[in-house]
């Protein structure tokens, strides 16, 4: 029987720990090329294959489908322009011009913009595709470095990076979610923390940890939230594993790491929080989690969205079970990964189980706010849902932007890859020692092949950017800043106007002028400048009237454009390749009607097969075209048949051609009244100036006199009782903020 070695005295153990080498395990000066070059070469080749046909279309198309790749490209362009000093870094003054927008609350931060910089000389397509390819490679390399930091053998560490590279959530970024393509931040944060808490490493690793956390925050909010959630758990588990005599020193290093993270990432986090609370910015998206949460089966089955060999079969299997896979539910753990995790669970050491436990935390969160299993969300004869931790997590302040639970696996796959790699290393070391050298490379090669078979993706779709009109190339030579109003706003009634505006962002990369909208993931709930034209593109509303006639805001568009420094209206013409925008289509007819209304039979300033350009008159001339108009701003909800709810404050815009006194009449339908009496006090603010309050009662018309000068005015209405949520009153799942509802609003002018 082998005799166990006697434990070392405490002082000797400390001396031994502090005497350990500072370099990564098994790394010497002679093997730097093998440690650095081999992984990068392997991951570059693998990324090129898994991203095919990206390289084939590297300079001619952008990889991905829909509007996401186009707005990603625009972000890459904005970063380049900001670094050249042509635009501010975080502000986006050229979108929603001149109101502007912000990159702080956007789902894709500027990090990948830096990765695109070397490729811009080859064109915008190469910049986009190069950033995507580098994102894949660097993510895998970061996973490899973390595995080596955890003292895994190089073949095993190579497997960990390969697992992370091929993970479905990672490769799903190829469809347009570039935030998923770059997932290098979390493994670098964990690497930094592990090194910070090691006694034989410099405390300066705390700065690396903070910098990596800043990188993660600057790239994507989901990755930051889930990384911050795991960091203290990882630190506590490391602290718990340390001998008692080392815990105090480890706790001090942990405090240093926390301070470094606060100093480096804190200012950006405060800026994001401030931007998210800005007026009109739409952030609360939690309820979308119910539609985007993965089915539990999707963790156990290959991705129906991305798997080449199994995707169609899985889709057919899930369809009758009412599970609807999306790009947000690419969370497959792999059968090979599950077997390796089983090895860790049954045979692994406490250190390896740590990573398995942390991965399990994010897997559970990835299930969403309630359990969905084979399409079912209600269980037992009582038909009750099973509430999961994600519902409580997203109820915390500041986390109301989270609408895709499966994105927990953007961090979860790092932990899962490490846990699987530790299971693989245990298999290599198990059994007869003389065979370990053979197993050292053979087993990683075998399990890597199995992983690639399970994860092997589809051939990714690509798209060609639209041809830019020559007139925009002419505008690029003009250094003056002004706006360009693009038509159509959207090609079809059910089209998403924000996504469609990504085409105009691509044009903006040429002309460099402001545009009226822009695809930004967190932007205005109501358009700040043209609320009745964008996003609805519907000029008639059932509840707004001027002198008893339906209000039509389109007549004053030239005045609004001139007042906001717009110079041109550009009507883009249908092209054979524009699937939903053809001659006679809804979008074409809407645009033609608007041009006819504004310009009559006046010829365009410039015209070709791609676009017709019309000038916006000077403000003095545009003032002469004003007619009385009434339009809604922020705070109003959808029309519900015979009334419309509003949240306080709700905004109306009133336009009159000359100085005059008008009367605003409205018929309330219902109002929030927490006290007896069934009446409320409506406080009014006209262009920032308080007006006399009025008392309102349901189903009783009220008249509000106003004195207005020529032009457009903003009237804010705020019910003194405030807002309520129907869900808080019971018997409803409606979580909207509501205050009062109206049946109609009529702007009455003298003599009518």
């Amino acid at each position: 029987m082998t005799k166990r070695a006697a434990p070392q005295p405490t002082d000797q153990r400390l001396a031994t720990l502090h005497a350990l080498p500072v370099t990564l395990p098994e790394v010497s000066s002679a093997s730097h090329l093998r440690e650095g070059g081999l992984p990068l070469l392997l991951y570059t080749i693998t990324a090129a294959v898994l991203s095919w046909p990206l390289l084939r279309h590297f300079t001619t198309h952008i990889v991905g489908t829909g509007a996401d790749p186009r707005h990603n490209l625009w972000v890459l362009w904005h970063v380049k322009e900001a670094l050249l000093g042509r635009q501010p870094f975080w502000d986006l003054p050229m979108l929603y011009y001149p109101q502007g927008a912000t990159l702080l609350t956007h789902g894709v931060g500027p990090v990948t913009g830096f990765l695109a910089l070397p490729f811009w000389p080859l064109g915008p397509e190469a910049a986009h595709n190069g950033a995507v390819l580098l994102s894949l490679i660097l993510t895998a390399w970061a996973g490899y470095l973390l595995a080596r930091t955890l003292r895994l053998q190089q073949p095993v560490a190579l497997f960990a990076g390969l697992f992370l590279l091929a993970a479905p959530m990672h490769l799903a970024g190829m469809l347009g979610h570039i935030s998923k393509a770059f997932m290098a931040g979390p493994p670098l944060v964990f690497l930094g923390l592990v090194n910070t808490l090691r006694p034989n490493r410099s405390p300066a690793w705390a700065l690396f940890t903070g910098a990596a956390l800043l990188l993660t925050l600057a790239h994507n909010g989901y990755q930051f939230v889930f990384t911050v959630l795991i960091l203290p758990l990882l630190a506590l588990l490391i602290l718990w594993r340390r001998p008692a005599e080392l815990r105090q020193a480890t706790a001090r290093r942990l405090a240093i790491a926390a301070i470094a993270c606060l100093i480096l990432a804190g200012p950006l986090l405060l800026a994001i929080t401030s931007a998210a609370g800005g007026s009109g910015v739409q952030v609360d998206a939690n309820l979308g989690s119910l539609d985007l949460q993965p089915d539990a089966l999707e963790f156990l089955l290959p991705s129906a969205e991305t798997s080449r060999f199994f995707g169609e079969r899985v889709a057919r299997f899930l369809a009758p079970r009412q599970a609807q896979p999306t790009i947000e539910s690419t969370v497959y753990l792999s059968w090979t990964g599950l077997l390796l995790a089983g090895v860790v669970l049954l045979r692994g050491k406490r250190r390896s189980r740590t990573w398995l436990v942390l991965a399990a935390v994010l897997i559970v969160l990835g299930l969403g706010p309630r359990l969905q299993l084979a399409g079912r969300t209600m269980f037992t004869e009582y038909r009750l849902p099973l509430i999961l931790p994600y519902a409580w997590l997203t109820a915390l302040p500041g986390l109301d932007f989270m609408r895709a639970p499966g994105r927990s696996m953007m961090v979860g796959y790092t932990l899962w890859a490490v846990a699987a790699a530790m299971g693989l290393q245990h298999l290599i070391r198990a059994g007869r020692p003389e065979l370990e050298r053979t197993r050292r490379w053979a087993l990683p090669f075998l399990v890597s092949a199995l992983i690639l078979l399970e994860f092997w993706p589809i051939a990714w779709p690509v798209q060609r950017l639209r041809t830019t009109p020559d007139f925009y190339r002419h505008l690029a030579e003009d250094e003056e800043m002004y706006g360009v109003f693009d038509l159509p706003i959207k090609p079809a009634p059910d089209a998403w106007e924000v996504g469609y505006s990504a085409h105009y962002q691509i044009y903006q990369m040429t002309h460099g002028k402001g545009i009226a909208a822009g695809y930004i993931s967190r932007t205005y709930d109501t358009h700040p400048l043209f609320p009745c034209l964008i996003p609805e593109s519907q000029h008639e509303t059932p509840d707004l009237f001027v002198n008893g006639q339906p209000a039509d805001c389109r007549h004053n568009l030239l005045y609004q454009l001139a007042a906001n420094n717009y110079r041109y209206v550009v009507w883009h013409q249908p092209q054979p390749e524009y699937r939903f925008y053809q001659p006679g289509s809804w979008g074409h007819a809407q645009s033609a009607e608007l041009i006819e209304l504004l310009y009559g039979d006046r010829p365009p300033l410039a015209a070709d097969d791609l676009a017709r350009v019309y000038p916006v008159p000077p403000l003095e001339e545009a003032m002469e075209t004003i007619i009385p108009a009434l339009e809604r701003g922020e705070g109003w909800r959808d029309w519900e048949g015979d009334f419309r709810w509003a949240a306080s404050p709700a905004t109306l815009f009133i336009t009159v051609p000359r100085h005059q006194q008008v009367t605003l009449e409205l018929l309330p339908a219902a109002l929030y009244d927490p006290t007896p009496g069934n009446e409320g006090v409506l406080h009014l603010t006209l262009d920032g100036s308080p007006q006399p309050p009025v008392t309102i009662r349901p189903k009783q018309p009220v008249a509000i006199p106003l004195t207005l000068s020529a032009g457009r005015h903003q009237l804010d209405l705020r019910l003194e009782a405030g807002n309520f949520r129907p869900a808080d009153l019971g018997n409803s799942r409606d979580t909207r903020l509501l205050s009062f509802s109206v049946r109609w609003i009529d702007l009455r002018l003298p003599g009518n």
Side-chain angles (χ1 to χ4, degrees):
M1 183 175 181
T2 304
K3 184 177 180 180
R4 296 184 61 184
Q8 294 178 309
T10 300
D11 55 350
Q12 185 175 349
R13 295 171 66 189
L14 288 171
T16 301
L17 283 169
H18 285 281
L20 288 174
V22 176
T23 55
L24 287 172
E26 303 182 15
V27 178
S28 65
S29 58
S31 60
H32 283 166
L33 181 61
R34 179 167 60 90
E35 281 290 342
L38 177 61
L40 283 176
L41 178 61
L42 171 65
Y43 297 142
T44 299
I45 295 173
T46 308
V49 173
L50 295 180
S51 63
W52 192 260
L54 181 147
L55 284 181
R56 177 195 290 174
H57 304 285
F58 195 74
T59 61
T60 59
H61 298 68
I62 57 175
V63 67
T65 183
D68 287 326
R70 295 190 293 272
H71 97 278
N72 290 337
L73 174 57
W74 185 91
V75 172
L76 306 182
W77 172 80
H78 169 77
V79 171
K80 174 180 70 74
E81 294 295 295
L83 293 175
L84 292 174
R86 298 169 184 163
Q87 295 184 37
F89 196 79
W90 291 105
D91 293 332
L92 309 175
M94 295 170 63
L95 301 185
Y96 296 86
Y97 179 83
Q99 179 78 15
T102 179
L103 194 60
L104 288 168
T105 56
H106 186 43
V108 180
V111 173
T112 45
F114 291 91
L115 302 182
L117 293 176
F119 304 100
W120 276 107
L122 299 177
E125 294 89 350
H128 177 274
N129 295 333
V132 171
L133 188 61
L134 276 183
S135 295
L136 299 180
I137 296 168
L138 293 177
T139 298
W141 195 41
Y144 167 82
L145 292 177
L146 173 60
R148 291 297 276 155
T149 297
L150 296 172
R151 300 194 176 98
L152 296 180
Q153 299 172 358
Q154 188 183 33
V156 177
L158 289 172
F159 162 76
L162 186 66
F163 191 108
L164 188 55
L165 169 59
M169 181 65 68
H170 187 215
L171 290 181
M174 299 293 297
L175 292 172
H177 287 188
I178 203 170
S179 59
K180 297 171 181 173
F182 184 81
M183 303 193 319
L188 293 179
V189 174
F190 301 143
L191 180 156
L193 181 65
V194 169
N195 281 324
T196 301
L197 299 185
R198 281 180 175 166
N200 61 315
R201 295 299 179 96
S202 168
W205 275 100
L207 295 176
F208 179 92
T209 307
L213 189 62
L214 174 61
L215 174 78
T216 304
L217 175 61
H219 175 60
N220 180 257
Y222 283 91
Q223 292 187 25
F224 174 78
V225 168
F226 291 118
T227 300
V228 168
L229 177 67
I230 291 299
L231 269 183
L233 299 178
L234 175 60
L236 290 175
L237 288 171
I238 292 176
L239 187 64
W240 175 59
R241 292 203 326 260
R242 288 288 157 83
E245 60 270 17
L246 295 179
R247 288 177 183 168
Q248 186 174 359
T250 303
R252 285 196 297 268
R253 285 175 170 255
L254 179 58
I256 294 173
I259 293 172
C261 290
L262 285 173
I263 291 175
L264 292 175
L268 179 57
L269 182 60
L270 289 175
I272 292 173
T273 302
S274 176
S279 175
V281 176
Q282 182 182 4
V283 176
D284 190 350
N286 279 356
L287 291 181
S289 299
L290 295 172
D291 299 321
L292 295 176
Q293 69 177 71
D295 193 285
L297 291 179
E298 293 184 77
F299 285 90
L300 305 175
L301 297 174
S303 171
E305 293 288 305
T306 65
S307 174
R308 172 174 292 188
F309 300 126
F310 306 103
E312 291 185 5
R313 295 180 177 87
V314 171
R316 289 197 299 267
F317 174 79
L318 293 177
R321 291 162 178 81
Q322 298 182 344
Q324 299 177 344
T326 69
I327 189 177
E328 301 290 7
S329 60
T330 50
V331 294
Y332 173 48
L333 299 174
S334 91
W335 302 316
T336 304
L338 288 167
L339 288 174
L340 294 174
V343 172
V344 171
L345 185 63
L346 299 175
R347 300 286 185 175
K349 298 180 180 179
R350 187 169 60 179
R351 180 175 73 101
S352 58
R353 288 175 182 166
T354 293
W355 295 91
L356 186 60
V357 169
L358 295 176
V361 170
L362 292 187
I363 291 170
V364 171
L365 288 173
L367 287 168
R370 63 183 181 186
L371 179 64
Q372 178 177 317
L373 179 61
R376 294 182 59 195
T377 58
M378 310 294 284
F379 303 93
T380 75
E381 61 181 305
Y382 299 102
R383 306 290 296 163
L384 297 175
L386 179 59
I387 300 177
L388 297 177
Y390 181 88
W392 307 107
L393 174 69
T394 55
L396 296 175
L399 300 186
D400 50 357
F401 72 94
M402 300 175 67
R403 67 179 184 89
R407 293 190 184 186
S408 69
M409 295 306 293
M410 287 197 286
V411 179
Y413 270 121
T414 292
L415 307 172
W416 187 247
V418 168
M422 288 182 168
L424 174 60
Q425 180 148 302
H426 179 83
L427 290 179
I428 292 174
R429 291 177 172 174
R432 297 167 60 184
E434 62 270 19
L435 297 179
E436 181 175 338
R437 180 180 296 273
T438 302
R439 293 194 298 264
R440 178 184 174 91
W441 286 98
L443 274 180
F445 178 82
L446 175 61
V447 295
S448 296
L450 292 174
I451 286 294
L452 289 176
L453 176 65
E454 295 186 65
F455 288 163
W456 198 267
I458 59 174
W460 303 108
V462 296
Q463 57 180 292
R464 187 184 292 274
L465 299 177
R466 291 184 176 180
T467 303
T468 301
D470 288 337
F471 181 76
Y472 285 158
R473 304 185 191 281
H474 170 71
L475 291 188
E477 301 174 1
D478 187 354
E479 296 183 357
E480 189 177 354
M481 178 54 65
Y482 46 81
V484 174
F485 192 86
D486 294 285
L487 293 174
I489 295 170
K490 58 183 181 180
D494 57 348
W496 185 34
E497 71 287 336
V498 172
Y500 192 77
S501 68
H503 288 295
Y504 304 141
Q505 289 175 270
I506 299 301
Y507 295 150
Q508 188 183 66
M509 292 165 49
T510 296
H511 62 64
K513 309 305 178 188
I515 59 176
Y519 181 6
I520 298 294
S521 56
R522 296 294 184 269
T523 185
Y524 302 99
D525 188 22
T526 302
H527 197 283
L529 300 172
F530 312 107
C532 81
L533 198 62
I534 303 175
E536 294 179 24
S537 194
Q538 300 278 352
H539 56 276
E540 293 184 356
T541 57
D543 56 335
L544 294 183
F545 300 89
V546 175
N547 292 327
Q549 299 300 314
D552 187 347
C553 69
R554 300 176 305 163
H555 294 277
N556 293 330
L557 180 59
L558 286 180
Y559 159 70
Q560 290 180 249
L561 290 172
N564 287 287
N565 194 33
Y566 279 75
R567 193 76 56 86
Y568 302 101
V569 175
V570 180
W571 179 18
H572 299 274
Q573 298 303 293
Q575 303 297 317
E577 64 270 22
Y578 297 174
R579 181 179 176 186
F580 298 106
Y581 181 52
Q582 293 294 314
S585 65
W586 182 89
H588 186 252
Q590 287 276 314
S591 300
E593 185 179 346
L594 183 59
I595 291 295
E596 172 71 20
L597 182 69
L598 298 179
Y599 293 100
D601 57 359
R602 279 178 286 177
L605 177 68
D608 57 23
D609 291 340
L610 295 178
R612 298 179 186 177
V613 182
Y614 297 84
V616 175
L619 180 59
E620 295 78 8
E621 181 180 339
M623 287 283 291
E624 299 175 0
T625 68
I626 293 178
I627 67 170
L630 181 64
E631 53 188 308
R632 282 184 301 274
E634 296 177 6
W636 299 93
R637 308 305 183 190
D638 293 335
W639 179 249
E640 298 185 27
D642 58 355
F643 64 88
R644 186 189 304 271
W645 277 103
S648 291
T651 299
L652 291 171
F653 292 104
I654 305 173
T655 306
V656 292
R658 62 182 182 276
H659 184 280
Q660 58 187 302
Q661 187 169 9
V662 302
T663 301
L664 188 70
E665 298 180 354
L666 60 89
L667 177 62
L671 59 108
Y672 177 44
D673 182 20
T675 60
N678 200 25
E679 68 177 23
V681 177
L682 199 62
H683 294 270
L684 310 172
T685 304
L686 180 64
D687 296 330
S689 299
Q691 304 294 303
V694 297
T695 300
I696 61 173
R697 298 177 180 85
K699 302 179 182 180
Q700 295 186 21
V702 60
I704 304 171
L706 299 169
T707 302
L708 306 176
S709 58
R712 191 169 186 249
H713 301 271
Q714 177 175 328
L715 180 67
D716 296 318
L717 299 84
R718 179 179 61 85
L719 190 67
E720 187 174 275
N723 298 307
F724 74 101
R725 296 182 189 271
D728 296 337
L729 304 180
N731 300 322
S732 175
R733 294 179 57 187
D734 188 353
T735 60
R736 296 176 300 168
L737 281 176
L738 305 176
S739 185
F740 58 93
S741 63
V742 296
R743 296 190 184 278
W744 49 258
I745 304 176
D746 194 357
L747 177 64
R748 289 286 180 175
L749 285 81
N752 293 276

